[in-house]
Amino acid sequence: MALRLYDTYSRQVREFEPLQPPRVGLYACGLTVYDYAHIGNLRTYIFEDILRRTLEAHSYDVLHVQNITDVGHLVSDADTGEDKMEKGSRRTGKSAWEIAKFFTEAFRRDLAALNVLEPHIWPKATDHIAEQIALIQCIEEQGYTYLTSDGVYFDTSRLADYGALARLDVEGLQAGARVDLGEKRNPTDFALWKFSPPGEQRQMEWDSPWGVGFPGWHIECSAMAAKYLGPYFDIHCGGEDHIPVHHTNEIAQSEACYKTRLANFWMHGYFLVTSGEKMAKSAGEFLRLQTLIDEGYDPLSYRYLCLNAHYRSRLNFNWEAMDGAATALNRLRQHVYGWGAPGPADETALDRFMAAIDDDLNTPQALAVIWEVARGNLPDAFKKGTVLAADRILGLRLGEWAPPETEVPETIQTLLAQREQARAVKNWAEADRLRDEIRAAGFDIIDSPDGPQLKPRS
Ligand code: AMP
Ligand code: ZN
């Protein structure tokens, strides 16, 4: 079956063909590591994980690059305000370098708990300053930049198709933004390099041909994607917020220097919202994966919740939906466990599952196929073979689950030991009394060759 994916650039579902088969270059915009990831961010990484697993299921040789934004992402997308890293540093009292390390590690733990496969390459923006400067020089040589008192800017009016990805109404924006442009020539112009504020030493700053400062947010992705995947590669992805600004500007930079539009497919995961509002780190209050764990949820229940919605629709988070996902995942796990040893996959059922996935990663439909298999009348071994094969894409670790062993409280263990002593001295009345007490506490005593065992009464 052919894999068909929605491409934001052309606004259509297109058949996916690698540019250089069997290799597939996949670039995902990474986290800005000034705080923990929220579950909205994690929804986007789960979508990208399904994409990667699907490409691998098609036997492509995927090279997955995901950057770590540890400098240059300013509080405002309009290139004003503080750097988020320096802000995070002030908030926590740790250095910008320390918080980058701390939150990167926390992010990796979240991804592992969600069974999101690690990218093959995790480049950090601060490790690629030279590459970013070289790219800005290239853009400058092509005549797309101008200098202001606070940095080097990209002149978006020089690119005829600027904003094509987002279908931006550039003229409308221009007309509406007469005020507050500062030294910017056009409202959509953006910083490639920002100077450190006069008289101030930033924690993160570097020398450059234009002056001491730091790279703008967008340049890191163009520079690192080109370094690891080449100037034109297969798929670039991120969340929907990246369409009008970040990815639009990445395309402008790469077109200016390399004369390519960076990626063949542009894919975007839609937002997780709560009561209609976008979840955002900058809003202060947000839900982390750890919040869900503290509330007693398995992280994979959150993965299930995300798979139950298509990545191209917004997902409204609430606790009822979370409970529903946890219950469904548990039922599925119990089915899978109960089926015993796996046999081969049923080809017809597996084809139906793959047809849903190949239809622009329709995970809700794919889960529906799994439930039909679970409730249907295939022999158990076939059911299990099919569901485990599907789980290579779903990533719910369905084959690893086993019912938790009930822990026997210590008080009951003590009663059992006392009963054994009573029996040893042939005090049958006392032994029976202890057995009844253990039963009343909810446990049966099963005599086995290894001695008496306690089993919860059903
Ligand atoms: P950031 O740390 O802001 O650079 O975001 C990391 C990733 O999460 C990017 O791909 C964003 O587009 C994505 N993202 C941000 N907020 C949300 C949200 N509420 N729901 C889904 N994805 C999001
Ligand atoms: Zn990016």
Side-chain angles (χ1 to χ4, degrees):
M1 272 283 291
L3 172 60
R4 295 169 58 77
L5 300 171
Y6 184 82
D7 168 31
T8 308
Y9 200 94
S10 59
R11 294 284 192 280
Q12 55 178 313
V13 176
R14 291 165 52 207
E15 190 168 315
F16 176 77
E17 292 279 0
L19 298 169
Q20 289 171 305
R23 281 203 45 202
V24 172
L26 175 68
Y27 188 92
C29 288
L31 195 74
T32 309
V33 285
Y34 71 110
D35 205 332
Y36 293 105
H38 58 63
I39 58 172
N41 301 130
L42 296 171
R43 181 189 185 201
T44 292
Y45 296 107
I46 292 170
F47 139 63
E48 290 159 352
D49 186 53
I50 296 292
L51 173 62
R52 155 142 172 218
R53 288 168 181 263
T54 301
L55 293 163
E56 288 176 347
H58 280 266
S59 306
Y60 297 136
D61 183 3
V62 181
L63 183 58
H64 175 191
V65 180
Q66 183 172 297
N67 65 301
I68 292 170
T69 298
D70 57 355
V71 68
H73 193 165
L74 302 190
V75 170
S76 147
D77 275 351
D79 292 319
T80 54
E82 209 174 352
D83 185 320
K84 290 187 177 188
M85 297 304 300
E86 306 253 343
K87 187 176 176 199
S89 161
R90 252 194 316 106
R91 193 189 71 233
T92 56
K94 294 184 187 151
S95 79
W97 299 98
E98 280 166 346
I99 59 169
K101 186 162 182 292
F102 179 86
F103 290 120
T104 300
E105 279 162 17
F107 178 46
R108 288 177 87 139
R109 283 196 297 275
D110 285 351
L111 294 182
L114 290 165
N115 200 20
V116 168
L117 299 173
E118 284 220 356
H120 303 105
I121 306 178
W122 290 91
K124 286 196 287 193
T126 52
D127 284 342
H128 296 77
I129 300 297
E131 288 84 347
Q132 295 178 72
I133 290 176
L135 180 53
I136 300 169
Q137 282 177 313
C138 174
I139 298 168
E140 186 177 46
E141 280 158 22
Q142 303 294 321
Y144 289 90
T145 63
Y146 61 91
L147 217 58
T148 73
S149 58
D150 79 350
V152 180
Y153 279 77
F154 190 107
D155 184 348
T156 54
S157 68
R158 300 287 319 280
L159 261 188
D161 67 346
Y162 177 80
L165 175 75
R167 307 287 193 271
L168 283 187
D169 172 12
V170 175
E171 280 170 20
L173 284 171
Q174 186 88 21
R178 283 281 160 256
V179 281
D180 261 4
L181 267 188
E183 293 174 65
K184 275 207 231 177
R185 294 183 187 163
N186 309 287
T188 45
D189 291 357
F190 57 92
L192 295 165
W193 186 265
K194 292 266 288 188
F195 301 137
S196 296
E200 198 182 298
Q201 193 183 0
R202 284 171 44 97
Q203 296 180 40
M204 292 177 156
E205 60 179 20
W206 296 267
D207 269 333
S208 84
W210 310 279
V212 174
F214 58 100
W217 171 36
H218 319 296
I219 197 74
E220 64 174 271
C221 287
S222 288
M224 296 191 281
K227 171 167 181 175
Y228 296 105
L229 299 172
Y232 187 59
F233 57 90
D234 295 285
I235 308 178
H236 194 313
C237 37
E240 60 168 310
D241 55 328
H242 285 169
I243 301 170
V245 181
H246 183 53
H247 288 171
T248 288
N249 293 343
E250 281 186 41
I251 291 174
Q253 295 165 156
S254 296
E255 281 193 350
C257 175
Y258 308 121
K259 314 295 175 204
T260 68
R261 65 176 168 82
L262 197 57
N264 187 18
F265 276 76
W266 287 86
M267 295 183 66
H268 296 95
Y270 278 67
F271 270 163
L272 183 84
V273 294
T274 36
S275 340
E277 300 267 342
K278 152 185 179 192
M279 187 170 289
K281 277 181 280 184
S282 49
E285 285 276 312
F286 61 77
L287 294 175
R288 289 169 50 193
L289 189 63
Q290 189 58 46
T291 324
L292 303 188
I293 296 169
D294 293 344
E295 292 290 327
Y297 294 99
D298 181 326
L300 293 175
S301 298
Y302 180 65
R303 185 173 172 108
Y304 188 100
L305 178 80
C306 292
L307 299 190
N308 218 6
H310 191 244
Y311 77 91
R312 253 180 336 107
S313 57
R314 294 217 166 135
L315 172 57
N316 193 31
F317 180 86
N318 57 54
W319 295 104
E320 293 76 51
M322 196 57 220
D323 283 341
T327 306
L329 177 61
N330 267 336
R331 287 213 183 109
L332 193 53
R333 284 169 159 171
Q334 276 158 6
H335 276 296
V336 174
Y337 181 78
W339 292 331
D346 178 80
E347 288 304 322
T348 315
L350 196 56
D351 282 353
R352 287 181 53 230
F353 172 84
M354 275 315 292
I357 292 289
D358 286 349
D359 178 15
D360 192 27
L361 314 180
N362 192 339
T363 49
Q365 180 59 35
L367 280 178
V369 173
I370 291 308
W371 278 107
E372 276 175 39
V373 170
R375 296 190 174 121
N377 45 26
L378 284 170
D380 285 354
F382 281 78
K383 286 185 178 177
K384 186 139 174 176
T386 312
V387 171
L388 293 189
D391 198 44
R392 288 209 285 269
I393 290 180
L394 300 174
L396 293 167
R397 295 199 163 123
L398 293 171
E400 291 166 35
W401 184 84
E405 283 178 22
T406 319
E407 284 208 9
V408 179
E410 216 166 298
T411 47
I412 310 288
Q413 299 279 19
T414 310
L415 291 176
L416 183 67
Q418 286 170 358
R419 175 180 175 261
E420 287 312 287
Q421 277 169 9
R423 279 161 60 105
V425 297
K426 300 192 169 23
N427 186 350
W428 308 118
E430 176 66 356
D432 285 351
R433 191 193 65 75
L434 286 160
R435 185 201 55 217
D436 291 344
E437 198 178 332
I438 291 169
R439 249 201 209 156
F443 290 88
D444 280 331
I445 302 168
I446 314 280
D447 286 307
S448 80
D450 300 334
Q453 308 280 318
L454 290 166
K455 190 170 155 276
R457 307 193 68 190
S458 42

